[in-house]
Amino acid sequence: MKKQGMIFWGLLALFFAVCLLPVTSVEAKTSTYRQCSREAKTGKYYIWTDNSSQSLNIATSKSGNSRVLTEASDGRRMSYTQISDGSTVYYMEMGDSGQNGNYTGYIFRIKVDGSGKKQIGALKNVSMLTAYYKGNLYLSCHDKNDVMLLHTYRMNVKNGSVKRVMKNACVREQKGQYLLARPNSGALGPLALYVYNCKTGKATRIAKKGGSANFSGNKIYYAEYVGDPFSGSGSTFRIRRCSLSGKGKKTLANKIKGEYTGMLNSKYVYYFDYDSNSNQICYRYNIKTKKKAKISQEKFKW
């Protein structure tokens, strides 16, 4: 049962990595670019892909009538990821797979009123648009020899030039010029954890055996394993905090027994473990009081 549970959570993590990452917001301000979805408002609009019609749709209310902003070109399908500041939208059309299973993603820019549509570049084996910062889009791309291996590329939106900026790491979350990134292994941990500075173009590894991580305020909160969750004897992790640049590390909780962590912030750590009967038990740890409380799976936060 424990092994099955771990497989379940591992698959769930993969689902989040592949499907839910695009709706992780950057910073919810009208002047700031963020990931778009039917559930998240960007500026005055909700922007999303309609898979049935392969169109990019836009609406002024969450459940109200929408209009088609643009449609996928012939022979292509619309990507489910878009990035917008509420005025300009960057989106992607996916070409058919080639002889070796490789394909090309075509990146476009369009205004929310439907004007100014322009292709700004193309890139092979693109998975998703992940972030935007001052004239550069950040994209995850599959390795040509390993579909599970993702690298992060930077595309200049003015001239379409492309450069790989992180190997074996894809963006999970953004706060201003900083990007949190980790490998796309499908596992919850332990994995290397990086913070990338868009201004300097440098990535800093903040944990070699990291669990989950989140921006909270002007800090990064993350879990760091001190044991192997696959050893069969359980694992432990510590909770740490550092600056947005990865400096000034501080340990907030030295030793928590658990399998994997979910969301972390300045107040709480969500994690789960197994009881003696191999049942999964979810917990919420209070950083201030140093106490844990059992919670339902419905209240567990990733």
Side-chain angles (χ1 to χ4, degrees):
M1 287 297 295
K2 182 172 180 178
K3 183 177 181 181
Q4 291 176 340
M6 293 179 68
I7 293 173
F8 167 79
W9 286 100
L11 291 174
L12 183 60
L14 179 59
F15 173 81
F16 268 74
V18 175
C19 299
L20 297 188
L21 175 63
V23 300
T24 301
S25 65
V26 179
E27 286 187 354
K29 298 179 181 178
T30 303
S31 61
T32 302
Y33 280 86
R34 59 172 292 165
Q35 301 284 354
C36 305
S37 79
R38 190 63 170 107
E39 304 299 319
K41 197 171 187 178
T42 305
K44 298 179 180 179
Y45 303 101
Y46 294 86
I47 305 166
W48 73 97
T49 296
D50 187 319
N51 291 325
S52 60
S53 62
Q54 288 301 307
S55 63
L56 185 62
N57 287 17
I58 188 170
T60 55
S61 63
K62 190 173 182 178
S63 58
N65 294 330
S66 65
R67 60 182 170 86
V68 173
L69 189 57
T70 187
E71 295 179 334
S73 305
D74 291 342
R76 299 179 189 170
R77 57 185 176 83
M78 193 70 73
S79 169
Y80 57 88
T81 60
Q82 308 86 32
I83 289 181
S84 175
D85 64 346
S87 176
T88 300
V89 183
Y90 290 95
Y91 70 95
M92 188 163 57
E93 295 180 2
M94 315 299 285
D96 291 334
S97 297
Q99 205 171 26
N100 299 319
N102 297 327
Y103 60 90
T104 300
Y106 302 87
I107 295 85
F108 289 82
R109 176 177 59 221
I110 192 171
K111 294 291 185 179
V112 293
D113 63 3
S115 66
K117 179 178 177 179
K118 180 182 179 180
Q119 181 179 323
I120 63 170
L123 191 57
K124 288 186 178 297
N125 300 326
V126 180
S127 172
M128 62 187 74
L129 304 177
T130 59
Y132 177 96
Y133 185 76
K134 291 191 175 182
N136 288 304
L137 279 171
Y138 292 85
L139 312 93
S140 291
C141 297
H142 296 284
D143 186 272
K144 63 180 181 180
N145 297 317
D146 185 353
V147 70
M148 289 300 297
L149 189 62
L150 289 177
H151 311 301
T152 294
Y153 286 75
R154 182 183 66 207
M155 175 179 286
N156 185 299
V157 300
K158 290 185 178 180
N159 57 32
S161 61
V162 176
K163 179 183 179 180
R164 190 174 74 182
V165 294
M166 282 188 284
K167 183 179 180 181
N168 191 22
C170 55
V171 178
R172 303 298 192 188
E173 192 176 346
Q174 178 180 4
K175 185 176 180 64
Q177 72 193 65
Y178 298 103
L179 311 177
L180 276 176
R182 64 187 308 191
N184 183 62
S185 74
L188 294 173
L191 295 169
L193 180 64
Y194 304 90
V195 59
Y196 177 84
N197 188 328
C198 296
K199 283 187 176 181
T200 64
K202 294 182 179 180
T204 300
R205 190 178 71 185
I206 59 177
K208 186 177 181 180
K209 297 171 62 178
S212 56
N214 297 101
F215 291 114
S216 184
N218 290 317
K219 301 290 183 180
I220 299 172
Y221 290 79
Y222 63 99
E224 187 173 47
Y225 282 87
V226 293
D228 183 1
F230 305 109
S231 65
S233 59
S235 63
T236 58
F237 50 85
R238 57 184 175 180
I239 305 302
R240 308 198 77 189
R241 183 186 71 194
C242 65
S243 69
L244 297 179
S245 64
K247 297 180 180 179
K249 295 179 181 179
K250 180 180 180 180
T251 300
L252 304 176
N254 195 44
K255 190 174 182 181
I256 298 177
K257 183 182 181 302
E259 293 290 337
Y260 298 109
T261 54
M263 189 187 77
L264 304 91
N265 56 38
S266 59
K267 293 182 179 180
Y268 301 112
V269 176
Y270 291 83
Y271 71 98
F272 66 88
D273 200 0
Y274 295 99
D275 63 16
S276 58
N277 295 318
S278 297
N279 296 312
Q280 291 171 344
I281 308 297
C282 297
Y283 296 95
R284 186 178 70 182
Y285 179 85
N286 188 308
I287 291 178
K288 184 177 181 179
T289 64
K290 309 297 183 184
K291 294 181 179 180
K292 67 178 183 180
K294 290 184 181 180
I295 59 173
S296 65
Q297 289 189 2
E298 290 73 22
K299 291 184 177 181
F300 190 88
K301 294 183 179 182
W302 289 102

